[in-house]
Amino acid sequence: GIQVEQSPPDLILQEGANSTLRCNFSDSVNNLQWFHQNPWGQLINLFYIPSGTKQNGRLSATTVATERYSLLYISSSQTTDSGVYFCAVEMSTGGFKTIFGAGTRLFVKA
Amino acid sequence: EAGVTQFPSHSVIEKGQTVTLRCDPISGHDNLYWYRRVMGKEIKFLLHFVKESKQDESGMPNNRFLAERTGGTYSTLKVQPAELEDSGVYFCASSIQGFTGELFFGEGSRLTVL
């Protein structure tokens, strides 16, 4: 089946720093989403981005579908950005199953 | 517009007991999915409903798990009898389109089996 790999697995930032999270996937996909799981366990939609670039405030994402990767940029990080960031892809074949990566655990220090 | 709602938010039961989790999708979303995250591991797909029909249940771990979606509205996920390894967070998601559709997740139901 499709493999979804996220890097880095863990990341510690000083408040105000920038970071880039990466998601690689092994096969063609129909769509890709980025989620933030906050410390309370809620999964928050960040981006629905099968291709191209989108921006939302301090966050932006770029997916290059032909090269099978997506990047999530966090600028001027804040302590509230802490949590786990998941990349999830919907496979092109075998139904509409969405596969999650293992996540990047981010901790932003004050 | 209400989002995906799940109930209960947290359930603590003993091994061998039964638990039923409920999910109310966003109104108008025909597609409903169950996922779970066990022991801080990856979020794993369990099954997918299109309206009241099970489209894909390949992720259901065993026959102790039963999901239903009568009438194509809310869904329930029953675990009977619960085992220790069933502990985790069960997420429900819905989407308008099953194909290239954006998923919206509920807040999850945390299950603890003692």
Side-chain angles (χ1 to χ4, degrees):
Chain A
I2 192 170
Q3 302 295 316
V4 182
E5 296 181 350
Q6 291 187 243
S7 60
D10 296 280
L11 183 60
I12 299 176
L13 295 178
Q14 189 66 46
E15 192 171 31
N18 303 329
S19 65
T20 300
L21 282 57
R22 186 176 181 102
C23 172
N24 291 336
F25 41 97
S26 61
D27 207 343
S28 58
V29 297
N30 294 327
N31 68 54
L32 185 146
Q33 288 185 250
W34 283 97
F35 296 91
H36 174 216
Q37 186 174 33
N38 63 24
W40 295 270
Q42 297 171 319
L43 275 174
I44 309 298
N45 288 40
L46 296 178
F47 294 102
Y48 173 70
I49 186 167
S51 64
T53 297
K54 290 185 178 179
Q55 180 154 7
N56 184 4
R58 296 180 296 103
L59 303 181
S60 64
T62 295
T63 296
V64 184
T66 53
E67 297 186 22
R68 299 180 182 171
Y69 74 88
S70 183
L71 302 174
L72 177 69
Y73 306 95
I74 304 175
S75 63
S76 304
S77 59
Q78 300 176 358
T79 56
T80 51
D81 295 333
S82 297
V84 184
Y85 289 80
F86 289 102
C87 164
V89 303
E90 181 183 274
M91 301 187 297
S92 294
T93 59
F96 306 137
K97 190 181 305 182
T98 293
I99 306 298
F100 280 76
T104 291
R105 186 178 302 276
L106 172 65
F107 179 68
V108 181
K109 300 187 296 183
Chain B
E1 179 183 339
V4 177
T5 57
Q6 294 187 242
F7 180 83
S9 57
H10 192 188
S11 181
V12 181
I13 61 173
E14 293 188 350
K15 176 183 174 181
Q17 291 186 321
T18 298
V19 64
T20 300
L21 310 177
R22 172 172 170 143
C23 169
D24 286 75
I26 293 172
S27 178
H29 284 196
D30 286 342
N31 296 278
L32 187 148
Y33 310 79
W34 284 98
Y35 288 80
R36 74 171 180 176
R37 190 178 189 206
V38 175
M39 291 295 290
K41 295 184 178 178
E42 296 169 16
I43 299 174
K44 294 285 193 181
F45 168 85
L46 296 179
L47 87 160
H48 168 211
F49 284 100
V50 177
K51 296 185 180 179
E52 67 275 10
S53 300
K54 291 177 184 176
Q55 184 75 18
D56 181 351
E57 53 183 334
S58 61
M60 296 288 265
N62 51 61
N63 58 12
R64 295 185 293 104
F65 289 76
L66 175 64
E68 294 179 323
R69 192 183 182 194
T70 306
T73 54
Y74 70 91
S75 174
T76 57
L77 179 64
K78 179 188 289 187
V79 185
Q80 179 183 29
E83 298 289 343
L84 299 179
E85 63 265 25
D86 300 332
S87 296
V89 181
Y90 290 77
F91 291 101
C92 176
S94 71
S95 70
I96 293 178
Q97 296 172 281
F99 188 77
T100 69
E102 184 175 3
L103 291 181
F104 295 88
F105 278 81
E107 297 187 354
S109 290
R110 182 176 298 276
L111 173 63
T112 302
V113 182
L114 303 176

